[in-house]
mmCIF file of all heavy atoms in Angstrom:
data_model
loop_
_atom_site.group_PDB
_atom_site.id
_atom_site.type_symbol
_atom_site.label_atom_id
_atom_site.label_comp_id
_atom_site.label_asym_id
_atom_site.label_seq_id
_atom_site.Cartn_x
_atom_site.Cartn_y
_atom_site.Cartn_z
ATOM 1 N N LEU A 1 0.823 -1.193 0.000
ATOM 2 C CA LEU A 1 0.000 0.000 0.000
ATOM 3 C C LEU A 1 0.870 1.261 0.000
ATOM 4 O O LEU A 1 0.593 2.211 -0.726
ATOM 5 C CB LEU A 1 -0.917 -0.017 1.229
ATOM 6 C CG LEU A 1 -2.165 0.843 1.169
ATOM 7 C CD1 LEU A 1 -3.028 0.479 -0.015
ATOM 8 C CD2 LEU A 1 -2.951 0.701 2.444
ATOM 9 N N ASN A 2 1.930 1.253 0.799
ATOM 10 C CA ASN A 2 2.837 2.405 0.838
ATOM 11 C C ASN A 2 3.532 2.607 -0.499
ATOM 12 O O ASN A 2 3.780 3.740 -0.916
ATOM 13 C CB ASN A 2 3.863 2.251 1.958
ATOM 14 C CG ASN A 2 3.249 2.497 3.318
ATOM 15 O OD1 ASN A 2 2.290 3.252 3.453
ATOM 16 N ND2 ASN A 2 3.784 1.860 4.340
ATOM 17 N N LEU A 3 3.846 1.537 -1.195
ATOM 18 C CA LEU A 3 4.442 1.621 -2.526
ATOM 19 C C LEU A 3 3.460 2.276 -3.495
ATOM 20 O O LEU A 3 3.836 3.124 -4.305
ATOM 21 C CB LEU A 3 4.844 0.227 -3.017
ATOM 22 C CG LEU A 3 5.550 0.154 -4.358
ATOM 23 C CD1 LEU A 3 6.885 0.906 -4.298
ATOM 24 C CD2 LEU A 3 5.794 -1.296 -4.742
ATOM 25 N N ALA A 4 2.196 1.895 -3.408
ATOM 26 C CA ALA A 4 1.163 2.486 -4.262
ATOM 27 C C ALA A 4 0.989 3.973 -3.957
ATOM 28 O O ALA A 4 0.786 4.777 -4.864
ATOM 29 C CB ALA A 4 -0.158 1.745 -4.077
ATOM 30 N N ILE A 5 1.118 4.355 -2.700
ATOM 31 C CA ILE A 5 0.987 5.761 -2.310
ATOM 32 C C ILE A 5 2.147 6.576 -2.868
ATOM 33 O O ILE A 5 1.985 7.731 -3.269
ATOM 34 C CB ILE A 5 0.894 5.894 -0.775
ATOM 35 C CG1 ILE A 5 -0.458 5.369 -0.291
ATOM 36 C CG2 ILE A 5 1.105 7.331 -0.326
ATOM 37 C CD1 ILE A 5 -0.587 5.265 1.208
ATOM 38 N N ALA A 6 3.333 5.989 -2.917
ATOM 39 C CA ALA A 6 4.528 6.691 -3.391
ATOM 40 C C ALA A 6 4.410 7.091 -4.864
ATOM 41 O O ALA A 6 5.060 8.036 -5.299
ATOM 42 C CB ALA A 6 5.769 5.822 -3.178
ATOM 43 N N GLN A 7 3.588 6.387 -5.613
ATOM 44 C CA GLN A 7 3.381 6.722 -7.024
ATOM 45 C C GLN A 7 2.343 7.828 -7.101
ATOM 46 O O GLN A 7 1.178 7.609 -6.812
ATOM 47 C CB GLN A 7 2.918 5.493 -7.801
ATOM 48 C CG GLN A 7 3.898 4.351 -7.751
ATOM 49 C CD GLN A 7 3.311 3.062 -8.304
ATOM 50 O OE1 GLN A 7 2.140 3.003 -8.665
ATOM 51 N NE2 GLN A 7 4.140 2.033 -8.348
ATOM 52 N N LYS A 8 2.797 9.021 -7.484
ATOM 53 C CA LYS A 8 1.893 10.187 -7.515
ATOM 54 C C LYS A 8 0.869 10.046 -8.640
ATOM 55 O O LYS A 8 1.195 9.680 -9.753
ATOM 56 C CB LYS A 8 2.694 11.474 -7.708
ATOM 57 C CG LYS A 8 3.701 11.725 -6.615
ATOM 58 C CD LYS A 8 3.001 11.966 -5.303
ATOM 59 C CE LYS A 8 4.016 12.192 -4.199
ATOM 60 N NZ LYS A 8 3.469 12.134 -2.907
ATOM 61 N N ARG A 9 -0.377 10.360 -8.326
ATOM 62 C CA ARG A 9 -1.462 10.283 -9.297
ATOM 63 C C ARG A 9 -2.329 11.521 -9.205
ATOM 64 O O ARG A 9 -2.363 12.179 -8.180
ATOM 65 C CB ARG A 9 -2.344 9.063 -9.009
ATOM 66 C CG ARG A 9 -1.661 7.753 -9.153
ATOM 67 C CD ARG A 9 -2.616 6.661 -8.654
ATOM 68 N NE ARG A 9 -1.937 5.414 -8.579
ATOM 69 C CZ ARG A 9 -1.136 5.046 -7.571
ATOM 70 N NH1 ARG A 9 -0.928 5.858 -6.572
ATOM 71 N NH2 ARG A 9 -0.548 3.876 -7.582
ATOM 72 N N THR A 10 -3.033 11.781 -10.298
ATOM 73 C CA THR A 10 -3.986 12.886 -10.272
ATOM 74 C C THR A 10 -5.416 12.371 -10.202
ATOM 75 O O THR A 10 -6.320 13.097 -9.850
ATOM 76 C CB THR A 10 -3.840 13.780 -11.521
ATOM 77 O OG1 THR A 10 -4.008 12.961 -12.684
ATOM 78 C CG2 THR A 10 -2.473 14.450 -11.553
ATOM 79 N N GLN A 11 -5.601 11.112 -10.550
ATOM 80 C CA GLN A 11 -6.925 10.497 -10.539
ATOM 81 C C GLN A 11 -7.057 9.580 -9.332
ATOM 82 O O GLN A 11 -6.147 9.458 -8.525
ATOM 83 C CB GLN A 11 -7.144 9.701 -11.825
ATOM 84 C CG GLN A 11 -7.054 10.533 -13.076
ATOM 85 C CD GLN A 11 -8.183 11.546 -13.178
ATOM 86 O OE1 GLN A 11 -9.320 11.266 -12.812
ATOM 87 N NE2 GLN A 11 -7.873 12.738 -13.662
ATOM 88 N N GLY A 12 -8.143 8.870 -9.261
ATOM 89 C CA GLY A 12 -8.348 7.893 -8.210
ATOM 90 C C GLY A 12 -7.414 6.706 -8.379
ATOM 91 O O GLY A 12 -6.683 6.583 -9.362
ATOM 92 N N VAL A 13 -7.448 5.821 -7.409
ATOM 93 C CA VAL A 13 -6.589 4.649 -7.391
ATOM 94 C C VAL A 13 -7.479 3.412 -7.496
ATOM 95 O O VAL A 13 -8.477 3.300 -6.793
ATOM 96 C CB VAL A 13 -5.789 4.598 -6.069
ATOM 97 C CG1 VAL A 13 -4.918 3.371 -6.019
ATOM 98 C CG2 VAL A 13 -4.968 5.854 -5.899
ATOM 99 N N SER A 14 -7.098 2.482 -8.363
ATOM 100 C CA SER A 14 -7.848 1.244 -8.500
ATOM 101 C C SER A 14 -7.230 0.195 -7.584
ATOM 102 O O SER A 14 -6.025 -0.051 -7.631
ATOM 103 C CB SER A 14 -7.804 0.759 -9.952
ATOM 104 O OG SER A 14 -8.483 -0.468 -10.066
ATOM 105 N N ILE A 15 -8.047 -0.389 -6.732
ATOM 106 C CA ILE A 15 -7.561 -1.467 -5.864
ATOM 107 C C ILE A 15 -8.391 -2.703 -6.143
ATOM 108 O O ILE A 15 -9.542 -2.616 -6.570
ATOM 109 C CB ILE A 15 -7.614 -1.096 -4.362
ATOM 110 C CG1 ILE A 15 -9.038 -0.808 -3.899
ATOM 111 C CG2 ILE A 15 -6.709 0.083 -4.063
ATOM 112 C CD1 ILE A 15 -9.164 -0.640 -2.407
ATOM 113 N N GLN A 16 -7.793 -3.842 -5.908
ATOM 114 C CA GLN A 16 -8.496 -5.107 -6.109
ATOM 115 C C GLN A 16 -8.766 -5.727 -4.745
ATOM 116 O O GLN A 16 -7.892 -5.759 -3.881
ATOM 117 C CB GLN A 16 -7.659 -6.056 -6.956
ATOM 118 C CG GLN A 16 -7.487 -5.577 -8.371
ATOM 119 C CD GLN A 16 -6.676 -6.556 -9.207
ATOM 120 O OE1 GLN A 16 -6.016 -7.436 -8.682
ATOM 121 N NE2 GLN A 16 -6.753 -6.382 -10.514
ATOM 122 N N ILE A 17 -9.961 -6.229 -4.595
ATOM 123 C CA ILE A 17 -10.370 -6.845 -3.336
ATOM 124 C C ILE A 17 -10.722 -8.293 -3.639
ATOM 125 O O ILE A 17 -11.473 -8.589 -4.567
ATOM 126 C CB ILE A 17 -11.590 -6.120 -2.737
ATOM 127 C CG1 ILE A 17 -11.259 -4.650 -2.522
ATOM 128 C CG2 ILE A 17 -12.014 -6.784 -1.439
ATOM 129 C CD1 ILE A 17 -12.453 -3.804 -2.158
ATOM 130 N N ARG A 18 -10.158 -9.194 -2.854
ATOM 131 C CA ARG A 18 -10.489 -10.606 -3.017
ATOM 132 C C ARG A 18 -10.575 -11.242 -1.641
ATOM 133 O O ARG A 18 -9.966 -10.780 -0.681
ATOM 134 C CB ARG A 18 -9.471 -11.323 -3.891
ATOM 135 C CG ARG A 18 -8.119 -11.409 -3.267
ATOM 136 C CD ARG A 18 -7.170 -12.164 -4.135
ATOM 137 N NE ARG A 18 -5.908 -12.253 -3.409
ATOM 138 C CZ ARG A 18 -4.932 -13.019 -3.740
ATOM 139 N NH1 ARG A 18 -5.028 -13.786 -4.786
ATOM 140 N NH2 ARG A 18 -3.834 -13.056 -3.047
ATOM 141 N N ASP A 19 -11.309 -12.339 -1.569
ATOM 142 C CA ASP A 19 -11.367 -13.037 -0.292
ATOM 143 C C ASP A 19 -10.126 -13.916 -0.174
ATOM 144 O O ASP A 19 -9.397 -14.123 -1.133
ATOM 145 C CB ASP A 19 -12.667 -13.831 -0.135
ATOM 146 C CG ASP A 19 -12.825 -14.933 -1.160
ATOM 147 O OD1 ASP A 19 -11.815 -15.355 -1.755
ATOM 148 O OD2 ASP A 19 -13.966 -15.386 -1.366
ATOM 149 N N GLY A 20 -9.866 -14.408 0.993
ATOM 150 C CA GLY A 20 -8.645 -15.158 1.250
ATOM 151 C C GLY A 20 -8.688 -16.623 0.863
ATOM 152 O O GLY A 20 -7.728 -17.347 1.086
ATOM 153 N N SER A 21 -9.768 -17.058 0.252
ATOM 154 C CA SER A 21 -9.876 -18.484 -0.072
ATOM 155 C C SER A 21 -9.044 -18.840 -1.303
ATOM 156 O O SER A 21 -8.574 -17.984 -2.018
ATOM 157 C CB SER A 21 -11.340 -18.869 -0.301
ATOM 158 O OG SER A 21 -11.808 -18.256 -1.487
ATOM 159 N N ARG A 22 -8.876 -20.122 -1.540
ATOM 160 C CA ARG A 22 -8.120 -20.629 -2.692
ATOM 161 C C ARG A 22 -8.732 -20.148 -4.003
ATOM 162 O O ARG A 22 -8.055 -19.740 -4.909
ATOM 163 C CB ARG A 22 -8.130 -22.159 -2.707
ATOM 164 C CG ARG A 22 -7.027 -22.926 -2.072
ATOM 165 C CD ARG A 22 -5.722 -22.427 -2.344
ATOM 166 N NE ARG A 22 -4.693 -23.437 -2.538
ATOM 167 C CZ ARG A 22 -3.462 -23.082 -2.752
ATOM 168 N NH1 ARG A 22 -3.152 -21.821 -2.821
ATOM 169 N NH2 ARG A 22 -2.543 -23.982 -2.909
ATOM 170 N N GLN A 23 -10.048 -20.273 -4.093
ATOM 171 C CA GLN A 23 -10.746 -19.858 -5.306
ATOM 172 C C GLN A 23 -11.245 -18.431 -5.094
ATOM 173 O O GLN A 23 -12.417 -18.191 -4.885
ATOM 174 C CB GLN A 23 -11.907 -20.801 -5.593
ATOM 175 C CG GLN A 23 -11.458 -22.233 -5.785
ATOM 176 C CD GLN A 23 -12.613 -23.203 -5.659
ATOM 177 O OE1 GLN A 23 -13.658 -22.875 -5.120
ATOM 178 N NE2 GLN A 23 -12.404 -24.413 -6.149
ATOM 179 N N ALA A 24 -10.301 -17.530 -5.147
ATOM 180 C CA ALA A 24 -10.591 -16.147 -4.788
ATOM 181 C C ALA A 24 -11.414 -15.445 -5.858
ATOM 182 O O ALA A 24 -11.053 -15.431 -7.019
ATOM 183 C CB ALA A 24 -9.292 -15.392 -4.563
ATOM 184 N N SER A 25 -12.528 -14.883 -5.432
ATOM 185 C CA SER A 25 -13.282 -14.004 -6.318
ATOM 186 C C SER A 25 -12.705 -12.607 -6.131
ATOM 187 O O SER A 25 -12.366 -12.212 -5.021
ATOM 188 C CB SER A 25 -14.765 -14.036 -5.973
ATOM 189 O OG SER A 25 -14.955 -13.624 -4.640
ATOM 190 N N MET A 26 -12.538 -11.872 -7.224
ATOM 191 C CA MET A 26 -11.867 -10.588 -7.162
ATOM 192 C C MET A 26 -12.767 -9.488 -7.717
ATOM 193 O O MET A 26 -13.459 -9.692 -8.713
ATOM 194 C CB MET A 26 -10.565 -10.649 -7.966
ATOM 195 C CG MET A 26 -9.648 -9.506 -7.652
ATOM 196 S SD MET A 26 -8.040 -9.626 -8.463
ATOM 197 C CE MET A 26 -7.493 -11.245 -8.037
ATOM 198 N N VAL A 27 -12.731 -8.346 -7.060
ATOM 199 C CA VAL A 27 -13.492 -7.181 -7.477
ATOM 200 C C VAL A 27 -12.529 -6.005 -7.506
ATOM 201 O O VAL A 27 -11.704 -5.837 -6.603
ATOM 202 C CB VAL A 27 -14.640 -6.888 -6.471
ATOM 203 C CG1 VAL A 27 -15.348 -5.617 -6.819
ATOM 204 C CG2 VAL A 27 -15.598 -8.049 -6.399
ATOM 205 N N SER A 28 -12.613 -5.165 -8.538
ATOM 206 C CA SER A 28 -11.801 -3.949 -8.606
ATOM 207 C C SER A 28 -12.687 -2.760 -8.294
ATOM 208 O O SER A 28 -13.852 -2.709 -8.709
ATOM 209 C CB SER A 28 -11.200 -3.769 -9.999
ATOM 210 O OG SER A 28 -10.212 -4.729 -10.229
ATOM 211 N N VAL A 29 -12.125 -1.800 -7.582
ATOM 212 C CA VAL A 29 -12.855 -0.583 -7.241
ATOM 213 C C VAL A 29 -11.882 0.595 -7.292
ATOM 214 O O VAL A 29 -10.703 0.448 -6.978
ATOM 215 C CB VAL A 29 -13.526 -0.716 -5.841
ATOM 216 C CG1 VAL A 29 -12.499 -0.868 -4.749
ATOM 217 C CG2 VAL A 29 -14.432 0.458 -5.559
ATOM 218 N N VAL A 30 -12.375 1.736 -7.734
ATOM 219 C CA VAL A 30 -11.557 2.948 -7.777
ATOM 220 C C VAL A 30 -11.918 3.787 -6.562
ATOM 221 O O VAL A 30 -13.095 4.042 -6.290
ATOM 222 C CB VAL A 30 -11.809 3.745 -9.080
ATOM 223 C CG1 VAL A 30 -11.017 5.042 -9.072
ATOM 224 C CG2 VAL A 30 -11.447 2.908 -10.292
ATOM 225 N N ILE A 31 -10.873 4.196 -5.810
ATOM 226 C CA ILE A 31 -11.076 5.024 -4.620
ATOM 227 C C ILE A 31 -10.235 6.291 -4.741
ATOM 228 O O ILE A 31 -9.220 6.294 -5.445
ATOM 229 C CB ILE A 31 -10.726 4.261 -3.319
ATOM 230 C CG1 ILE A 31 -9.237 3.873 -3.290
ATOM 231 C CG2 ILE A 31 -11.608 3.042 -3.150
ATOM 232 C CD1 ILE A 31 -8.780 3.318 -1.961
ATOM 233 N N PRO A 32 -10.608 7.356 -4.066
ATOM 234 C CA PRO A 32 -9.784 8.565 -4.075
ATOM 235 C C PRO A 32 -8.433 8.296 -3.413
ATOM 236 O O PRO A 32 -8.325 7.451 -2.517
ATOM 237 C CB PRO A 32 -10.592 9.566 -3.240
ATOM 238 C CG PRO A 32 -11.955 8.997 -3.136
ATOM 239 C CD PRO A 32 -11.839 7.520 -3.306
ATOM 240 N N GLU A 33 -7.409 9.010 -3.849
ATOM 241 C CA GLU A 33 -6.075 8.798 -3.288
ATOM 242 C C GLU A 33 -6.049 9.087 -1.791
ATOM 243 O O GLU A 33 -5.349 8.416 -1.033
ATOM 244 C CB GLU A 33 -5.043 9.659 -4.011
ATOM 245 C CG GLU A 33 -3.633 9.283 -3.617
ATOM 246 C CD GLU A 33 -2.572 9.905 -4.496
ATOM 247 O OE1 GLU A 33 -2.901 10.457 -5.541
ATOM 248 O OE2 GLU A 33 -1.396 9.831 -4.091
ATOM 249 N N LYS A 34 -6.832 10.060 -1.333
ATOM 250 C CA LYS A 34 -6.889 10.352 0.109
ATOM 251 C C LYS A 34 -7.393 9.147 0.896
ATOM 252 O O LYS A 34 -6.954 8.899 2.009
ATOM 253 C CB LYS A 34 -7.766 11.572 0.381
ATOM 254 C CG LYS A 34 -7.128 12.873 -0.047
ATOM 255 C CD LYS A 34 -7.994 14.056 0.305
ATOM 256 C CE LYS A 34 -7.328 15.329 -0.154
ATOM 257 N NZ LYS A 34 -8.059 16.521 0.242
#
């Protein structure tokens, strides 16, 4: 996360969310840098 913060952006940041299981379902969401 700190590495992602170090990269300066002007737009929102896309993060991927997945559950911890083997067959992970993944969802991407854009959030503000703040």
Side-chain angles (χ1 to χ4, degrees):
L1 201 57
N2 285 331
L3 183 62
I5 289 172
Q7 301 169 356
K8 300 295 179 193
R9 296 173 189 81
T10 57
Q11 300 293 322
V13 179
S14 177
I15 61 172
Q16 293 181 345
I17 302 170
R18 67 178 183 168
D19 63 20
S21 68
R22 267 316 218 182
Q23 300 163 342
S25 59
M26 195 175 308
V27 175
S28 290
V29 64
V30 177
I31 63 171
E33 190 168 349
K34 288 183 181 184

